Amino acid sequence: MRTEDVLAAIATGLWRWDNAAGIVTLDAEAARLLGLPAEPTVLSEAATRARLHPVDWNEIYAVVRLAVAEGTLAETQVRVVDEEGRVLRTIRSRSKPLVTHREYGEDYELIGTLQEIVEPQAGALTGRSPVAGDWRRSREAFLLDAGRALAEARSTAEVLRVAASLSMPGFSPDGLAVFGVDGDRLTIIGHHGNPDNAEGPFTDMSVNTDYPAAEVVRTGRAIYIPTAREFHDRYPATWSIVKGFGRQSWAYVPLIVAGRTMGAWMAAFKNPVTFTPDERSVLTTVARMLAQALARAEVAESERELSLGLQRSMMPTLGPEIPGMTVAARYVPTGGGLQVGGDWYDIIPLPGGTRVALVIGDVQGHDVRAAGLMGQLRIALRAYAAEGHRPDAVLSRASRFLHGMYEFSTAQGPTHPDQSDPGEDSDYTVPRFATCLYMEVDPDSGTLDIARAGHPDPVIRAADGTALIRQTAGGLPLGIEADSDYPTTRVHLEPGDTLMLCTDGLIETGGHDMLSGWTRLRPVLEDNTGLSLEKLADALVAAVHGPSSHYTTGPLADRREDDIALLLLSRDSSPVRRPPRRTVLTIAQAEPEQVADARRQLKDLLHDWADEEQVDSAVLMISEMTTNVLVHTDGDAVLIAEAAGERGKRRLRVEVADASDELPHKRRPGELASSGRGLVLMEMLADAWGVDPRGEGKSIWFEIYEKGAAG
């Protein structure tokens, strides 16, 4: 009898599927099982697909791809449907893929049998799932959950924890191990469900060892071992090590990323498992997701290691110690890409005494090039400071240095290997600028000489907790012009005062501008006067990146996050008396708009004054005094405002000095007069006032006493 006749007698049909040609050949019995006339026929792939349930067709593809990859049988169950989609019967397909190499790549042919299943059973090995659809639904739900969990893992340790927690439908391994490849050696990346010292024999193993994981790495093919006897027969050299774990079945699946085998994944079972095609499909899919997750984690960890190395090499340690002062610093990179950028801070010992220089700056951009420019600029600043130059000279030389770098690169042509055309626009020849604040500190007197190049102004928190932005003179950012001037402003740091220097990332991160960002930070400074500088630095960073920052987003929703550099300097407090609260400001003839700054600084100084009407009166008088100097003299006005005493009994004294010897005199202005009201207002609103002549010029002053204070 012919083979076809024997198979027909037991209701088994033959079929051949040519994947390259898209043709399916059926004998008479196979055609009958598919709901066609019982005669040999040739169908297109599309016509065959129309006879099968659409969900089962996807199953066939997955099982066939797995069988082609592993060189095993493809076995699956499918439902046959009629033209209206009603299920006629369930059949089992068993086929062998034959790989053929053709002109356009590698294809395959499937040759196998079809047989009807009277009562469909589960596709799971253990038979615990009574319906094939339930198995499929459980498997799909498991794979979705596993893929989501592995996609969220950000480190190798997290990936291994997720892999250990996976509970596969119908069969779950009780022992897992992930093997990596280092040259020609096999190592253990991590394991679960084994004794702590179980990795000992497998820690450093040659890939030529007679062990399943080594063979998987060599061949790139999965190995399934359903019984202990088979393990003993196939790998006798390593069976003596494995048998002590008490397992009955093993699956070793390659971890492949972009065609490269990066390791192997072992799943071991205490109960016997026969590894049906469905179970092999699950294990293979999990291994692919696990390999992708490990590859992502490896890249992320490499980037973090590179970022930390760059940070350690470019960020200074907080030394030397400053006598009578305390320093704290923070650097916080943004979240995307390499964790490096152009922000930096530095502490430089100066020659000839105990003086030190504090530097903070921000190179334009957030990339490796910005980090490289930052490193070069930091070295240049340290060199100029070590030569003994004053703050203005240090910044002038640094600006010339940064500007000259671009003149040289433009004259030399392309500076990046990918830029072959000299006329091509390249980021490596486009100038970048940098903002910077350079401050020379005298610990003995508490004086700070500040030069500023387009950088945010410093903030001073007084001993009583009041935080004010200290306006300082400044110049253009470094690198914009070859020759720039940077005037120096002298500030006095009283005992108990704290100075804050920061880059714009601390102020503007979260969609804020300079105004709303300062409004967010000011309460943090003022409400944490009892904290150490280290804890205060943490509190400031938490206000920007912590949970509370999500509820304080600013008006600029499209503003990106930026790096943060932060420096805090505190002068040790004196236990004898509370120092007065003071602000000093020079109002230049060429900058009358600074009168508005003077009014704002006085309001900040008196933010907790008991009587708001007294504050309004002081603001009005200071506006009159400074405006009179600008209108009636040719020099600048120097404003000194000081609030002294205990809260509720304080005295405000405001002085406005100028270089003119002409003393003011009180007049009686008419209703339409535009001037002459300054002294009249002071006489009406101030508790005390006067005009004091000096060696060069004069000083006009007034005092206001808080409610309850004595004159």
Side-chain angles (χ1 to χ4, degrees):
M1 296 180 62
R2 296 185 307 163
T3 303
E4 291 81 351
D5 297 333
V6 175
L7 294 175
I10 58 175
T12 301
L14 287 174
W15 68 298
R16 178 190 295 266
W17 177 10
D18 188 338
N19 177 62
I23 295 175
V24 179
T25 304
L26 307 171
D27 68 357
E29 182 61 21
R32 184 191 70 80
L33 291 174
L34 291 181
L36 300 172
E39 59 186 26
T41 184
V42 177
L43 299 176
S44 66
E45 185 177 305
T48 306
R49 180 174 182 174
R51 310 301 304 177
L52 304 177
H53 196 283
V55 174
D56 298 344
W57 178 260
N58 296 331
E59 294 286 337
I60 292 175
Y61 258 111
V63 172
V64 168
R65 286 196 298 268
L66 178 64
V68 170
E70 298 180 352
T72 57
L73 287 177
E75 181 177 356
T76 185
Q77 297 177 173
V78 295
R79 288 165 289 181
V80 179
V81 298
D82 59 14
E83 289 81 357
E84 297 180 0
R86 294 173 299 194
V87 177
L88 299 177
R89 61 180 61 87
T90 301
I91 60 176
R92 175 185 289 112
S93 169
R94 291 172 57 88
S95 57
K96 175 70 174 179
L98 302 177
V99 178
T100 58
H101 297 275
R102 303 192 178 183
E103 180 181 358
Y104 298 105
E106 185 178 274
D107 293 307
Y108 56 85
E109 291 185 2
L110 289 177
I111 302 175
T113 61
L114 298 177
Q115 189 175 32
E116 184 174 2
I117 300 175
V118 179
E119 295 181 0
Q121 297 297 323
L125 158 88
T126 57
R128 287 193 289 269
S129 297
V131 180
D134 292 343
W135 155 261
R136 293 185 178 112
R137 285 191 293 271
S138 299
R139 184 185 68 181
E140 291 170 359
F142 161 74
L143 291 177
L144 285 174
D145 291 340
R148 185 161 45 246
L150 289 171
E152 294 174 355
R154 290 293 179 265
S155 66
T156 301
E158 291 181 13
V159 172
L160 294 176
R161 281 196 297 270
V162 171
S165 64
L166 297 179
S167 179
M168 301 181 188
F171 71 111
S172 292
D174 64 288
L176 301 172
V178 177
F179 297 87
V181 182
D182 185 9
D184 61 348
R185 313 299 295 178
L186 199 67
T187 60
I188 287 281
I189 297 178
H191 64 90
H192 174 73
N194 304 307
D196 292 338
N197 58 351
E199 71 275 10
F202 310 99
T203 300
D204 188 16
M205 178 186 296
S206 171
V207 294
N208 296 318
T209 304
D210 186 25
Y211 182 66
E215 183 176 337
V216 167
V217 170
R218 292 196 306 268
T219 63
R221 288 181 172 274
I223 295 176
Y224 301 99
I225 307 175
T227 64
R229 169 59 61 183
E230 183 175 343
F231 199 117
H232 174 272
D233 294 341
R234 293 180 61 177
Y235 305 99
T238 53
W239 169 246
S240 59
I241 303 174
V242 174
K243 67 179 181 179
F245 294 99
R247 306 280 165 54
Q248 299 296 320
S249 301
W250 298 262
Y252 292 86
V253 189
L255 300 174
I256 301 175
V257 177
R260 179 179 66 90
T261 302
M262 59 178 294
W265 174 48
M266 181 203 75
F269 303 83
K270 283 187 176 180
N271 299 316
V273 179
T274 57
F275 299 113
T276 65
D278 279 331
E279 292 164 346
R280 295 186 183 192
S281 177
V282 170
L283 290 169
T284 302
T285 304
V286 172
R288 290 171 181 164
M289 293 189 295
L290 182 59
Q292 294 289 341
L294 287 172
R296 288 193 301 269
E298 182 181 0
V299 172
E301 289 170 352
S302 298
E303 289 183 351
R304 282 195 293 269
E305 185 177 352
L306 174 60
S307 301
L308 290 174
L310 283 172
Q311 289 181 33
R312 293 190 187 102
S313 63
M314 294 182 176
M315 288 293 130
T317 58
L318 287 184
E321 293 185 357
I322 305 176
M325 293 186 172
T326 308
V327 183
R330 292 292 184 272
Y331 173 71
V332 182
T334 55
L338 289 177
Q339 302 293 296
V340 293
D343 292 27
W344 89 96
Y345 61 85
D346 208 347
I347 301 176
I348 308 170
L350 298 178
T354 59
R355 293 178 307 116
V356 297
L358 269 61
V359 187
I360 191 166
D362 181 5
V363 175
Q364 177 191 7
H366 175 74
D367 50 23
V368 176
R369 184 185 173 214
L373 289 176
M374 178 266 286
Q376 297 177 72
L377 188 57
R378 174 172 169 250
I379 293 173
L381 283 165
R382 291 184 70 91
Y384 298 141
E387 292 176 353
H389 297 293
R390 296 290 295 163
D392 55 342
V394 170
L395 290 190
S396 295
R397 284 166 168 76
S399 182
R400 190 178 302 115
F401 165 80
L402 189 57
H403 186 272
M405 291 179 61
Y406 297 110
E407 289 186 340
F408 175 78
S409 62
T410 304
Q412 295 297 315
T415 59
H416 191 271
D418 294 337
Q419 185 192 3
S420 56
D421 183 3
E424 181 183 351
D425 187 16
S426 170
D427 184 57
Y428 282 79
T429 57
V430 174
R432 289 197 185 185
F433 63 84
T435 65
C436 182
L437 187 148
Y438 181 94
M439 179 174 67
E440 189 175 300
V441 181
D442 185 352
D444 297 331
S445 62
T447 58
L448 313 173
D449 290 335
I450 301 173
R452 190 169 57 86
H455 201 80
D457 282 301
V459 174
I460 294 181
R461 186 187 70 184
D464 65 351
T466 304
L468 301 175
I469 298 176
R470 181 62 172 88
Q471 300 288 337
T472 58
L476 293 173
L478 304 179
I480 292 183
E481 291 183 358
D483 296 314
S484 297
D485 293 329
Y486 298 96
T488 301
T489 303
R490 172 161 289 187
V491 176
H492 188 75
L493 201 63
E494 300 285 354
D497 287 357
T498 299
L499 176 83
M500 183 186 80
L501 304 177
C502 67
T503 55
D504 56 1
L506 183 69
I507 303 173
E508 298 180 346
T509 291
H512 288 272
D513 53 23
M514 297 299 288
L515 178 60
S516 63
W518 166 237
T519 303
R520 172 179 58 174
L521 291 176
R522 183 175 182 176
V524 181
L525 281 168
E526 295 184 336
D527 297 342
N528 293 282
T529 54
L531 296 181
S532 66
L533 278 196
E534 294 293 334
K535 292 183 178 180
L536 177 60
D538 292 335
L540 288 167
V541 173
V544 176
H545 282 295
S548 62
S549 66
H550 302 299
Y551 305 101
T552 58
T553 54
L556 306 176
D558 58 343
R559 179 70 59 88
R560 296 195 315 167
E561 292 188 355
D562 198 1
D563 301 331
I564 293 174
L566 170 67
L567 261 177
L568 297 175
L569 175 69
S570 177
R571 189 177 182 192
D572 295 346
S573 60
S574 172
V576 178
R577 64 179 180 87
R578 180 184 295 272
R581 188 188 302 174
R582 179 187 293 118
T583 185
V584 181
L585 179 66
T586 299
I587 303 174
Q589 280 281 342
E591 298 178 355
E593 64 273 7
Q594 289 185 329
V595 174
D597 292 337
R599 291 195 295 264
R600 181 180 56 79
Q601 288 205 34
L602 186 62
K603 282 186 176 182
D604 289 342
L605 189 74
L606 303 178
H607 70 96
D608 57 351
W609 198 265
D611 189 348
E612 293 186 2
E613 291 186 359
Q614 287 184 314
V615 176
D616 294 337
S617 298
V619 171
L620 177 60
M621 287 187 285
I622 203 175
S623 182
E624 285 288 336
M625 293 164 64
T626 53
T627 303
N628 284 339
V629 172
L630 298 182
V631 171
H632 299 293
T633 70
D634 296 329
D636 300 338
V638 179
L639 167 69
I640 302 175
E642 179 181 281
E646 297 297 328
R647 181 171 296 183
K649 299 180 179 180
R650 288 171 290 189
R651 182 195 66 178
L652 170 67
R653 182 181 176 88
V654 177
E655 295 184 23
V656 176
D658 63 81
S660 174
D661 294 329
E662 182 179 352
L663 298 180
H665 56 277
K666 188 166 60 174
R667 293 182 289 170
R668 299 291 180 182
E671 293 183 359
L672 301 180
S674 60
S675 63
R677 292 187 175 88
L679 297 184
V680 175
L681 285 173
M682 292 174 63
E683 189 174 59
M684 294 173 59
L685 301 177
D687 293 317
W689 66 278
V691 180
D692 297 336
R694 294 184 174 179
E696 293 183 358
K698 62 183 179 298
S699 171
I700 307 174
W701 60 270
F702 70 84
E703 291 182 354
I704 291 180
Y705 308 131
E706 196 173 13
K707 289 181 178 180

